[in-house]
C-alpha cells in the first residue's frame, strides 16, 4: 500500500514537470515567432503574444530637440501570456491524445 502511494506521488510530480516544460516550450516558441525588432529604423522592439508585455523604442523628439528612448514592461501581461501558453499546451496535448487514440483503434 505504501509503495502505491509513493508511485502515485512520483507520477503526479512527473506530470507536473512535463506540463511545466511543455508550457515553457510553447511560451518560448510563441515569443520567438512574434518578436519584432525594428529599432534600426527608429521603430519599436516588441515582445509577446497574444499580449505585448515588453516594448522599447527610440526616436527624435521635435519638442525636446533631442534623441529620446522609452521602454515598458508589464508583468501582468507576461503572466497572462504564460497562462495562455499553458492552456495552448494542454489543448495540443488533448488533441494529440484524442487522435492517437483514434489511430490505435
Amino acid at each position: 500500500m505504501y509503495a502505491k502511494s509513493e508511485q502515485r506521488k512520483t507520477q503526479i510530480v512527473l506530470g507536473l514537470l512535463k506540463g511545466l516544460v511543455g508550457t515553457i516550450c510553447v511560451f518560448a516558441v510563441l515569443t520567438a515567432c512574434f518578436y519584432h525588432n525594428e529599432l534600426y529604423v527608429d521603430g519599436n522592439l516588441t515582445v509577446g503574444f497574444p499580449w505585448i508585455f515588453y516594448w522599447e523604442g527610440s526616436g527624435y523628439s521635435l519638442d525636446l530637440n533631442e534623441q529620446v528612448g522609452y521602454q515598458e514592461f508589464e508583468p501582468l501581461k507576461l503572466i497572462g501570456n504564460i497562462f495562455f501558453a499553458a492552456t495552448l499546451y494542454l489543448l495540443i496535448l488533448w488533441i494529440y491524445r484524442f487522435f492517437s487514440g483514434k489511430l490505435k483503434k
Side-chain angles (χ1 to χ4, degrees):
M1 183 167 175
Y2 181 73
K4 286 187 178 181
S5 67
E6 285 296 319
Q7 184 181 10
R8 185 165 174 83
K9 287 179 185 177
T10 304
Q11 288 175 348
I12 290 172
V13 170
L14 288 176
L16 289 174
L17 285 176
K18 285 180 185 178
L20 181 65
V21 169
T23 299
I24 290 171
C25 289
V26 169
F27 178 77
V29 167
L30 287 176
T31 302
C33 288
F34 291 94
Y35 171 84
H36 297 285
N37 187 359
E38 300 170 353
L39 288 177
Y40 57 91
V41 290
D42 286 343
N44 291 329
L45 167 79
T46 58
V47 180
F49 176 82
W51 301 285
I52 296 172
F53 60 88
Y54 178 79
W55 58 91
E56 179 180 351
S58 65
Y60 188 77
S61 172
L62 294 175
D63 295 334
L64 300 175
N65 200 22
E66 63 183 21
Q67 188 78 12
V68 294
Y70 64 90
Q71 63 181 12
E72 278 193 51
F73 173 71
E74 295 189 24
L76 288 178
K77 289 185 178 181
L78 173 63
I79 292 169
N81 284 347
I82 292 171
F83 281 133
F84 180 80
T87 305
L88 188 61
Y89 171 71
L90 291 174
L91 182 66
I92 291 168
L93 189 63
W94 180 77
I95 290 171
Y96 173 75
R97 286 185 179 171
F98 179 76
F99 284 114
S100 67
K102 290 269 187 177
L103 293 176
K104 288 181 183 178
K105 291 181 180 180

